Amino acid sequence: MAKHTQTIAMTGALLLSVPAWAQQVGTAAGVSPAASSRTGQAAPQQVRLGDHVLRNQHFQTDANGVVQILLADGSSFTVGPRSALTIDEFVYDPQRGTARVAASAGRGVLRFIGGAASKPGGSATLKTPVGVAGIRGAIVDFLLPGEGLGPLRIDLHYGQSVSLSCSNGPSGTLSSAGM
């Protein structure tokens, strides 16, 4: 019994010593070799299949890069070529079935597939150069401005809705697939 208590105490001490920014929130579930990531001020590293995904981790791809990020709540981001995404925040309570994910995308193309974070009781947001998208129970593609890609484009493929709140300009909600 004392050995079991000691193990729990040591595990607790190890978890407390891990900085909040280093908490694992998911896994790299699909990768092409042209994808890199970094956390904090660390140098970018090539993303490998099965790598841990951390809160505040920044992903970047070149012209041939793609990386799929599977979060613990079942949500996923697929980051396409010439794209950038940062997982800003992720909180998941599997016992309550609630989750919250906030990410920022600076450029390129990406797909979000909603897990618990996009369901009732959760929150899924993506900050873009144009505004903040709120995603509810949906599969959504984003084409972000920059590098000849044109204006922001949001395609709702399946699900409840995606809304965009812009600080400068019109805001709106898509609630029908294909719009």
Side-chain angles (χ1 to χ4, degrees):
M1 182 82 152
K3 189 174 187 177
H4 180 70
T5 305
Q6 187 176 28
T7 303
I8 292 172
M10 288 176 57
T11 303
L14 287 173
L15 290 174
L16 291 175
S17 67
V18 174
W21 59 262
Q23 294 173 351
Q24 181 181 356
V25 299
T27 302
V31 180
S32 79
S36 64
S37 74
R38 67 175 167 72
T39 304
Q41 300 300 319
Q45 303 272 330
Q46 182 179 359
V47 180
R48 298 184 191 286
L49 187 63
D51 279 357
H52 296 275
V53 172
L54 307 175
R55 189 170 64 97
N56 290 326
Q57 189 166 359
H58 177 76
F59 293 86
Q60 188 166 315
T61 59
D62 70 11
N64 299 310
V66 176
V67 62
Q68 183 182 34
I69 302 160
L70 179 60
L71 299 175
D73 76 318
S75 296
S76 72
F77 286 99
T78 301
V79 183
R82 292 188 178 110
S83 301
L85 176 82
T86 302
I87 305 297
D88 298 318
E89 178 182 9
F90 182 78
V91 177
Y92 178 45
D93 183 344
Q95 293 181 348
R96 290 186 177 169
T98 59
R100 182 174 62 243
V101 62
S104 301
R107 68 174 194 276
V109 295
L110 64 98
R111 172 173 277 188
F112 176 81
I113 299 176
S118 72
K119 305 292 189 279
S123 173
T125 59
L126 178 69
K127 183 178 177 183
T128 74
V130 175
V132 177
I135 306 160
R136 296 292 164 255
I139 298 173
V140 184
D141 287 343
F142 294 87
L143 177 64
L144 302 164
E147 295 187 38
L149 296 176
L152 173 69
R153 180 179 168 109
I154 301 173
D155 292 317
L156 174 63
H157 290 283
Y158 174 83
Q160 186 178 347
S161 68
V162 59
S163 61
L164 182 66
S165 298
C166 298
S167 53
N168 299 327
S171 298
T173 300
L174 294 174
S175 57
S176 296
M179 301 301 285

CSV table of all heavy atoms in Angstrom, one decimal, residues 11 15 17 20 23 27 50 52 60 62 74 91 102 123-124 129 132 134 142 145 171:
chain,number,residue,atom,x,y,z
A,11,THR,N,3.9,10.6,-9.3
A,11,THR,CA,3.2,10.9,-10.6
A,11,THR,C,2.6,12.3,-10.5
A,11,THR,O,2.7,13.1,-11.4
A,11,THR,CB,2.1,9.9,-10.9
A,11,THR,OG1,2.7,8.6,-11.0
A,11,THR,CG2,1.4,10.2,-12.2
A,15,LEU,N,3.4,15.6,-12.8
A,15,LEU,CA,2.5,16.3,-13.6
A,15,LEU,C,2.5,17.8,-13.2
A,15,LEU,O,2.3,18.7,-14.0
A,15,LEU,CB,1.1,15.8,-13.3
A,15,LEU,CG,0.8,14.4,-14.0
A,15,LEU,CD1,-0.6,13.9,-13.6
A,15,LEU,CD2,0.9,14.5,-15.5
A,17,SER,N,5.1,19.4,-12.3
A,17,SER,CA,6.3,20.1,-12.7
A,17,SER,C,6.3,20.3,-14.2
A,17,SER,O,7.1,21.0,-14.7
A,17,SER,CB,7.5,19.2,-12.4
A,17,SER,OG,7.5,18.0,-13.1
A,20,ALA,N,2.3,24.3,-18.1
A,20,ALA,CA,1.0,24.3,-18.6
A,20,ALA,C,1.0,24.2,-20.2
A,20,ALA,O,0.2,23.6,-20.8
A,20,ALA,CB,0.1,25.5,-18.2
A,23,GLN,N,1.3,20.6,-22.0
A,23,GLN,CA,0.3,19.5,-21.9
A,23,GLN,C,-0.1,18.9,-23.2
A,23,GLN,O,-0.5,19.7,-24.1
A,23,GLN,CB,-1.0,20.1,-21.1
A,23,GLN,CG,-0.7,20.5,-19.7
A,23,GLN,CD,-1.9,21.3,-19.1
A,23,GLN,OE1,-2.8,21.6,-19.8
A,23,GLN,NE2,-1.7,21.5,-17.8
A,27,THR,N,-2.7,14.2,-31.0
A,27,THR,CA,-1.7,13.4,-31.7
A,27,THR,C,-1.6,13.8,-33.2
A,27,THR,O,-2.7,14.1,-33.7
A,27,THR,CB,-2.0,11.9,-31.6
A,27,THR,OG1,-2.1,11.5,-30.2
A,27,THR,CG2,-1.0,11.0,-32.3
A,50,GLY,N,2.3,10.2,-35.1
A,50,GLY,CA,2.3,9.8,-33.7
A,50,GLY,C,2.8,10.8,-32.7
A,50,GLY,O,2.8,10.6,-31.5
A,52,HIS,N,3.2,13.8,-30.2
A,52,HIS,CA,2.3,14.5,-29.3
A,52,HIS,C,2.0,15.9,-29.8
A,52,HIS,O,2.9,16.6,-30.3
A,52,HIS,CB,2.8,14.6,-27.9
A,52,HIS,CG,3.1,13.2,-27.2
A,52,HIS,ND1,2.1,12.6,-26.6
A,52,HIS,CD2,4.2,12.5,-27.2
A,52,HIS,CE1,2.6,11.4,-26.1
A,52,HIS,NE2,3.8,11.3,-26.5
A,60,GLN,N,3.2,24.4,-39.3
A,60,GLN,CA,3.4,25.1,-40.5
A,60,GLN,C,3.7,24.1,-41.6
A,60,GLN,O,4.5,23.1,-41.4
A,60,GLN,CB,4.6,26.1,-40.4
A,60,GLN,CG,4.8,27.0,-41.5
A,60,GLN,CD,5.7,28.1,-41.2
A,60,GLN,OE1,5.5,28.7,-40.1
A,60,GLN,NE2,6.6,28.4,-42.0
A,62,ASP,N,4.8,23.5,-46.0
A,62,ASP,CA,5.3,24.2,-47.2
A,62,ASP,C,4.4,23.8,-48.3
A,62,ASP,O,3.3,23.2,-48.1
A,62,ASP,CB,6.8,23.9,-47.4
A,62,ASP,CG,7.1,22.5,-47.8
A,62,ASP,OD1,6.1,21.7,-48.1
A,62,ASP,OD2,8.3,22.1,-47.9
A,74,GLY,N,-11.9,14.1,-30.0
A,74,GLY,CA,-12.3,13.6,-31.3
A,74,GLY,C,-12.4,14.6,-32.4
A,74,GLY,O,-12.6,14.3,-33.6
A,91,VAL,N,-9.3,22.3,-23.7
A,91,VAL,CA,-9.7,21.7,-22.4
A,91,VAL,C,-10.7,20.6,-22.7
A,91,VAL,O,-11.7,20.9,-23.5
A,91,VAL,CB,-10.3,22.8,-21.5
A,91,VAL,CG1,-10.8,22.2,-20.2
A,91,VAL,CG2,-9.3,23.9,-21.3
A,102,ALA,N,-9.7,26.3,-29.0
A,102,ALA,CA,-9.5,27.6,-29.7
A,102,ALA,C,-8.2,27.5,-30.5
A,102,ALA,O,-7.1,27.1,-29.9
A,102,ALA,CB,-9.4,28.8,-28.7
A,123,SER,N,-17.2,24.4,-27.0
A,123,SER,CA,-16.9,25.6,-27.8
A,123,SER,C,-15.7,25.3,-28.7
A,123,SER,O,-14.7,24.8,-28.3
A,123,SER,CB,-16.5,26.7,-26.8
A,123,SER,OG,-16.0,27.8,-27.5
A,124,ALA,N,-15.9,25.6,-30.0
A,124,ALA,CA,-14.8,25.4,-31.0
A,124,ALA,C,-14.7,26.7,-31.8
A,124,ALA,O,-15.7,27.1,-32.4
A,124,ALA,CB,-15.1,24.3,-31.9
A,129,PRO,N,-7.4,35.8,-40.0
A,129,PRO,CA,-7.0,37.2,-40.2
A,129,PRO,C,-8.2,38.1,-40.4
A,129,PRO,O,-8.1,39.3,-40.2
A,129,PRO,CB,-6.1,37.1,-41.5
A,129,PRO,CG,-5.6,35.7,-41.5
A,129,PRO,CD,-6.7,34.9,-41.0
A,132,VAL,N,-13.3,35.8,-36.2
A,132,VAL,CA,-13.3,34.5,-35.4
A,132,VAL,C,-14.5,33.7,-35.9
A,132,VAL,O,-15.6,34.2,-35.9
A,132,VAL,CB,-13.4,34.8,-33.9
A,132,VAL,CG1,-13.5,33.5,-33.1
A,132,VAL,CG2,-12.2,35.6,-33.5
A,134,GLY,N,-16.9,30.5,-35.2
A,134,GLY,CA,-17.5,29.6,-34.2
A,134,GLY,C,-18.1,28.4,-34.9
A,134,GLY,O,-18.9,28.6,-35.8
A,142,PHE,N,-11.7,25.9,-44.6
A,142,PHE,CA,-11.3,27.3,-44.6
A,142,PHE,C,-10.2,27.5,-45.6
A,142,PHE,O,-9.3,26.7,-45.7
A,142,PHE,CB,-10.8,27.7,-43.2
A,142,PHE,CG,-11.8,27.6,-42.1
A,142,PHE,CD1,-12.0,26.5,-41.4
A,142,PHE,CD2,-12.5,28.7,-41.7
A,142,PHE,CE1,-12.9,26.4,-40.3
A,142,PHE,CE2,-13.4,28.7,-40.7
A,142,PHE,CZ,-13.6,27.5,-40.0
A,145,PRO,N,-7.0,34.1,-46.6
A,145,PRO,CA,-6.3,35.0,-47.5
A,145,PRO,C,-4.8,34.9,-47.4
A,145,PRO,O,-4.3,34.5,-46.4
A,145,PRO,CB,-6.8,36.4,-47.0
A,145,PRO,CG,-7.9,36.2,-46.0
A,145,PRO,CD,-7.8,34.8,-45.5
A,171,SER,N,-20.6,40.2,-40.5
A,171,SER,CA,-20.6,38.9,-39.9
A,171,SER,C,-21.7,38.1,-40.4
A,171,SER,O,-22.7,38.6,-40.9
A,171,SER,CB,-20.6,39.0,-38.4
A,171,SER,OG,-19.5,39.8,-37.9
